[in-house]
């Protein structure tokens, strides 16, 4: 779950607090604590930060979500992470090899 999705979930739960269970609130608060603990972020040189900010705005994404996507794709492309398992053996494919 991206940071943006988590923030949305947190806000939605706050709007409907009476419907939230104690266990759900506990999970949300623990995840929020982890995010706050890691809020320091990444130290980037000004040029890189400027380019990422512009690209994030152009794509309509939050900069941390964009950085997470870039790093994740780099890790997959360089075989540090496995390919996402979006297709199984029974999936139909279009095109030709």
């Amino acid at each position: 779950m991206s940071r943006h999705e988590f923030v949305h979930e947190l806000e939605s739960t706050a709007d409907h607090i009476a419907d939230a269970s104690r266990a759900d609130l506990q999970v949300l608060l623990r995840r929020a604590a982890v995010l706050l603990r890691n809020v320091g972020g990444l130290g980037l040189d000004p040029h890189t930060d400027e380019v990422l900010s512009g690209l994030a705005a152009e794509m309509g994404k939050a900069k941390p979500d964009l950085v997470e996507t870039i790093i994740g794709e780099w890790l997959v492309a360089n075989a540090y992470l496995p390919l996402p398992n979006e297709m199984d053996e029974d999936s139909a494919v279009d095109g030709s090899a």
Side-chain angles (χ1 to χ4, degrees), residues 10 15-16 38-40 43 46-47 51-53 61 69 83 89 93:
L10 198 57
D15 291 342
H16 303 95
N38 296 324
V39 79
H47 180 70
V51 171
L52 283 172
S53 294
K61 287 185 119 178
T69 299
L83 290 172
E89 292 178 6
V93 294

Side-chain angles (χ1 to χ4, degrees), residues 8-78:
H8 178 71
E9 181 181 351
L10 198 57
E11 289 171 339
S12 178
T13 301
D15 291 342
H16 303 95
I17 192 88
D19 300 331
S21 72
R22 179 182 169 96
D24 289 341
L25 289 173
Q26 187 176 24
V27 168
L28 285 173
L29 289 172
R30 288 185 190 278
R31 287 172 54 202
V34 169
L35 281 177
L36 289 173
R37 210 176 285 125
N38 296 324
V39 79
L42 208 49
L44 300 171
D45 69 84
H47 180 70
T48 302
D49 189 54
E50 181 181 333
V51 171
L52 283 172
S53 294
L55 186 57
E58 183 179 313
M59 295 175 71
K61 287 185 119 178
K63 188 168 60 172
D65 292 338
L66 177 61
V67 170
E68 183 178 346
T69 299
I70 291 168
I71 292 171
E73 289 181 7
W74 184 88
L75 290 170
V76 168
N78 289 282

Side-chain angles (χ1 to χ4, degrees), residues 86-95:
E86 294 177 5
M87 291 182 18
D88 59 19
E89 292 178 6
D90 299 327
S91 295
V93 294
D94 294 329

